[in-house]
Amino acid sequence: MLLLKECKKIARTFVYLIFSALVILDFLTQFQNDLFPDNTFCKPVEGVGYYGEICDPHPELIMPAATESLLNHYLNNQFTTYPFGFYRSVKLNSEKSRKIMMILEELTGQTDQELRAAITNEPESTYDNGISETYFDYRLPELDIQVDYDTFLLLMEETDSILGGGSFYAPASLERTFGMVDMTYEQAAAEYDSFVRLDHVTNGYARLWCDYHGLILGILPVFLVAAFCTLDRRSKADAVIHSRKTGSFRIILVRFLALILMVMLPVLLTAVWGDLLVTRFYPDMQLDHLAMYKYMLIWIVPELIGVIGIDMLITEVFSGITAILLQFVWWFYECLTTQLSGDFSVFHLILRHNTFHNREIFMNQLNLFIQNRCFIAGLGIVCMLLTILIYHLKREGKFHGFRVLHKLFAHQSRA
Amino acid sequence: MDFECFTSCLRINLVRNAMPHICAALLLTALTPVIFSLTALNAQLSAQPLEMYLALTGMLLLTPVFLPEQDDTVRDVVRVRPVSYLQICALRVIAMIIILLLLYAAVMLLMQHGSCQISLSHFYGGTASAVFLGSIGFCASAFSDNTVIGYMTAIMYFILNLSAKEELGEFYLFGMSSAASLNKIWLYIGAAVLFAISFAYLKVLKKI
């Protein structure tokens, strides 16, 4: 059977051994590291201890705080953004600065002069915000916001766009930056109740397990794809395989399935292991022992289909090393720009929910989650179909892959 | 190796083999001002682009040193040549390190123009991270005879640095960015050891 043969071929590669070791190491250092007696979720006791923070997106809280912050940045003409996950200091020219002032005027109903006159502290009050220029921390009386929340969000979106993106004023960041409040006992009790009654403990941990594996499986399969898909070329078996009767569709489809199955093996092992660990830490609870596998199917498998499909296509069209470098760039960008939780979007490769709490945040974005996983899996399947076409053209001698730089710098004989 | 042979080997290697990797490193360097703000940064923030981003040029330039001869038939041809294959590889390593230093110098000139608080220690520390990361990829390629494993090892080490600062000790790549008082000389020593054991392995055990 061809599928079994291909699986054996993958299992015999050195890269697969390293891959499996890294998946298990990731599980031990990340997921298992989070499972220790002091970190178990206990029922909160009223009036005892700190219950943590929660994002409570009340417009009355977010609008004045964001406006005051924007005003401070405007007066200093020094804005902080993280467009690629790294710090970036933005200074605006007079035209863009005027646009920000107009936004502030619309938000507060006050002119530039009136706002400057309302400052309540001495301007020499400074702090080091990471850059070597002085930053003045202006304090203002409570601001009365003149617009409704929808208009406010539109104005904040415009502000983010003027700043070049990646600022605290992007609507997706606003709630996390300006809407965090301390959790009350009632909120903590409700959180615990949903963890026990709705998540049956393991569903919460399954999301955390998927978060850790989803992150590392956004990059690791590319090495396996690059090594496996170039194996024929390295062992000079490609000419023999090309002349066989087996169709291109069957060869590529079987390789695609073999890669997914073999990647899933160590992942499945950690799912069983994870379930046993959670069971040991919550011995008296009613647990859902299928949770890990359910989440694995809806979270990890679509990601693997996407990553493996895309990487197979790049390897076939360009080369394995090109696939590694492009996948690393994509993965690194995703890591830097994706928030630890509550930041789902249709086009992200990596979805994060780095906690076994906060079921509500996950469920509120369930539709986005489903759309995203369908998109990523669909993209992977389309890429796999394109790989079949490319492979077929190569077999017929009509295409030999793009080697742009190779052609450009190829040695030309002077003879 | 006489001078003419030396320059000829160097030129052919740069044009025929290393050019795609040099172009990738150049592109990565050219994108530095797009991804990072390079104006008025303090000493710690100035280290970020040098350690957490440009260090990847080390991986891009040094990992594929053995790539042209990864095919055994090509290596057999190279073996019978009068010039030692390992001498050619050493020449490639030196050339790639010089290119890496030039790329760092270009970015640091840009940062100096942008009034960032940078000093020679930034150059020394940044290049140490890049050369060490590259030497890891180089060593893994040499031992496995597979450039894919070289990239895999270097990328995994880079990722490890994002979360395991304490465990890596003196071999932590982002020491200046995180204000850790690490002596970067260990990264240079580590790189030298990795280069040496790779060459020793190929010379003594693989008899190349």
Side-chain angles (χ1 to χ4, degrees):
Chain A
M1 195 181 158
L2 194 56
L3 183 65
L4 196 67
K5 260 188 192 172
E6 295 289 359
C7 287
K8 278 183 186 168
K9 244 165 79 180
I10 296 170
R12 280 197 290 264
T13 58
F14 184 52
V15 178
Y16 184 68
L17 276 181
I18 305 176
F19 169 85
S20 305
L22 287 172
V23 169
I24 293 167
L25 194 71
D26 176 60
F27 172 79
L28 294 175
T29 56
Q30 305 288 319
F31 185 77
Q32 197 188 23
N33 223 19
D34 276 0
L35 275 166
F36 54 93
D38 288 347
N39 200 30
T40 51
F41 199 177
C42 300
K43 193 172 184 178
V45 181
E46 193 165 7
V48 178
Y50 172 63
Y51 306 119
E53 271 192 325
I54 191 170
C55 182
D56 200 5
H58 282 303
E60 317 82 74
L61 185 75
I62 293 171
M63 289 201 290
T67 307
E68 188 175 347
S69 167
L70 180 62
L71 184 58
N72 255 292
H73 284 123
Y74 163 74
L75 292 171
N76 281 282
N77 191 15
Q78 197 170 290
F79 298 82
T80 304
T81 62
Y82 296 84
F84 297 96
F86 289 111
Y87 171 86
R88 192 175 176 85
S89 172
V90 177
K91 276 188 181 298
L92 299 179
N93 58 26
S94 54
E95 193 195 331
K96 286 183 174 176
S97 208
R98 195 174 51 79
K99 282 183 185 169
I100 295 285
M101 186 58 236
M102 284 165 70
I103 289 170
L104 280 166
E105 280 183 6
E106 196 173 339
L107 285 169
T108 60
Q110 296 182 56
T111 62
D112 183 34
Q113 287 83 4
E114 283 169 343
L115 284 168
R116 284 176 194 272
I119 294 165
T120 57
N121 67 322
E122 291 296 315
E124 64 264 24
S125 168
T126 63
Y127 64 90
D128 178 15
N129 71 334
I131 63 169
S132 42
E133 288 180 354
T134 310
Y135 185 91
F136 294 98
D137 189 11
Y138 299 100
R139 286 183 207 120
L140 294 141
E142 200 165 309
L143 292 164
D144 187 18
I145 307 300
Q146 305 290 312
V147 296
D148 60 32
Y149 195 56
D150 288 339
T151 315
F152 172 80
L153 287 177
L154 285 174
L155 289 171
M156 289 293 113
E157 200 171 345
E158 193 186 335
T159 304
D160 184 59
S161 159
I162 293 168
L163 297 176
S167 73
F168 301 130
Y169 307 108
S173 306
L174 269 176
E175 292 179 0
R176 278 191 299 273
T177 312
F178 303 104
M180 298 303 286
V181 291
D182 287 346
M183 210 187 269
T184 62
Y185 165 73
E186 287 73 23
Q187 285 170 324
E191 175 91 40
Y192 180 78
D193 186 54
S194 73
F195 176 70
V196 174
R197 207 169 43 81
L198 300 173
D199 268 344
H200 297 290
V201 180
T202 34
N203 282 283
Y205 278 98
R207 286 194 289 271
L208 180 66
W209 176 82
C210 285
D211 171 75
Y212 286 136
H213 273 330
L215 185 67
I216 202 73
L217 290 173
I219 179 76
L220 277 184
V222 69
F223 302 109
L224 206 55
V225 173
F228 181 58
C229 292
T230 53
L231 206 61
D232 293 341
R233 212 180 303 157
R234 287 196 74 193
S235 60
K236 296 180 184 56
D238 48 353
V240 179
I241 295 170
H242 284 184
S243 62
R244 289 275 172 97
K245 273 185 182 172
T246 318
S248 304
F249 182 83
R250 194 167 167 226
I251 293 175
I252 297 297
L253 184 68
V254 165
R255 282 184 185 172
F256 180 68
L257 292 174
L259 278 163
I260 292 172
L261 284 175
M262 294 308 284
V263 168
M264 285 307 295
L265 274 184
V267 177
L268 194 64
L269 174 75
T270 65
V272 177
W273 196 341
D275 187 55
L276 290 172
L277 281 174
V278 176
T279 309
R280 205 180 74 188
F281 275 92
Y282 295 90
D284 305 322
M285 300 267 193
Q286 191 191 351
L287 307 179
D288 175 5
H289 290 290
L290 290 177
M292 292 280 184
Y293 315 106
K294 283 189 289 191
Y295 273 95
M296 184 174 77
L297 283 176
I298 62 163
W299 194 318
I300 302 293
V301 173
E303 185 174 324
L304 288 180
I305 293 173
V307 171
I308 291 173
I310 293 163
D311 293 338
M312 277 178 83
L313 179 64
I314 300 172
T315 303
E316 209 57 57
V317 176
F318 297 98
S319 68
I321 289 172
T322 312
I324 291 173
L325 296 179
L326 291 179
Q327 185 65 38
F328 177 66
V329 170
W330 188 19
W331 178 86
F332 196 42
Y333 174 76
E334 288 272 320
C335 286
L336 293 172
T337 53
T338 310
Q339 301 292 328
L340 284 178
S341 73
D343 187 22
F344 294 176
S345 82
V346 178
F347 304 110
H348 273 313
L349 169 69
I350 296 166
L351 297 181
R352 303 221 58 186
H353 189 80
N354 190 244
T355 173
F356 49 84
H357 304 160
N358 298 345
R359 175 192 160 86
E360 204 186 332
I361 292 178
F362 182 84
M363 289 301 166
N364 283 346
Q365 296 198 313
L366 190 60
N367 275 341
L368 268 178
F369 175 87
I370 293 167
Q371 286 171 27
N372 170 280
R373 295 292 92 172
C374 290
F375 170 75
I376 291 292
L379 185 67
I381 290 166
V382 169
C383 287
M384 189 268 292
L385 294 172
L386 286 172
T387 310
I388 294 170
L389 180 71
I390 300 290
Y391 187 76
H392 189 69
L393 290 174
K394 277 186 169 179
R395 282 181 89 178
E396 289 187 338
K398 290 177 182 166
F399 180 70
H400 303 285
F402 286 119
R403 300 279 190 277
V404 180
L405 289 167
H406 185 80
K407 264 187 187 170
L408 197 62
F409 300 108
H411 178 68
Q412 289 175 352
S413 170
R414 288 176 190 171
Chain B
M1 207 192 308
D2 61 34
F3 186 72
E4 197 183 338
C5 176
F6 170 84
T7 50
S8 168
C9 286
L10 193 62
R11 186 176 52 80
I12 290 171
N13 175 61
L14 286 177
V15 176
R16 288 273 293 142
N17 301 326
M19 196 48 84
H21 312 288
I22 294 171
C23 287
L26 269 172
L27 180 69
L28 190 104
T29 310
L31 287 173
T32 315
V34 179
I35 295 169
F36 292 88
S37 159
L38 299 182
T39 46
L41 298 173
N42 66 15
Q44 194 181 333
L45 279 175
S46 298
Q48 259 194 16
L50 304 175
E51 286 187 323
M52 301 180 82
Y53 179 74
L54 271 187
L56 292 168
T57 53
M59 177 188 81
L60 287 176
L61 295 171
L62 293 167
T63 305
V65 162
F66 301 112
L67 184 63
E69 297 82 16
Q70 199 170 265
D71 189 325
D72 281 343
T73 49
V74 178
R75 192 168 283 180
D76 287 343
V77 173
V78 171
R79 270 179 176 158
V80 296
R81 292 283 171 98
V83 181
S84 155
Y85 171 58
L86 292 183
Q87 270 186 34
I88 300 287
C89 290
L91 192 65
R92 287 177 187 166
V93 169
I94 293 166
M96 291 299 115
I97 291 177
I98 291 170
I99 291 170
L100 187 149
L101 297 178
L102 290 174
L103 294 177
Y104 263 86
V107 172
M108 288 194 64
L109 279 175
L110 207 62
M111 291 175 86
Q112 196 170 33
H113 182 70
S115 308
C116 295
Q117 287 177 3
I118 50 166
S119 60
L120 265 181
S121 66
H122 281 82
F123 183 73
Y124 167 71
T127 51
S129 297
V131 173
F132 184 67
L133 188 65
S135 71
I136 289 174
F138 175 87
C139 186
S141 295
F143 275 83
S144 63
D145 196 17
N146 190 339
T147 312
V148 169
I149 294 178
Y151 277 112
M152 186 180 192
T153 315
I155 287 175
M156 284 301 125
Y157 189 76
F158 183 82
I159 293 171
L160 191 67
N161 275 268
L162 299 173
S163 60
K165 178 184 169 188
E166 300 299 325
E167 289 79 2
L168 293 171
E170 297 289 346
F171 296 103
Y172 180 56
L173 295 177
F174 315 140
M176 292 190 299
S177 315
S178 60
S181 55
L182 300 176
N183 192 346
K184 288 274 189 169
I185 189 77
W186 288 106
L187 290 177
Y188 270 122
I189 292 172
V193 169
L194 289 175
F195 283 127
I197 60 169
S198 305
F199 281 118
Y201 168 76
L202 294 173
K203 174 100 184 155
V204 179
L205 293 175
K206 295 273 278 184
K207 310 242 185 277
I208 291 175

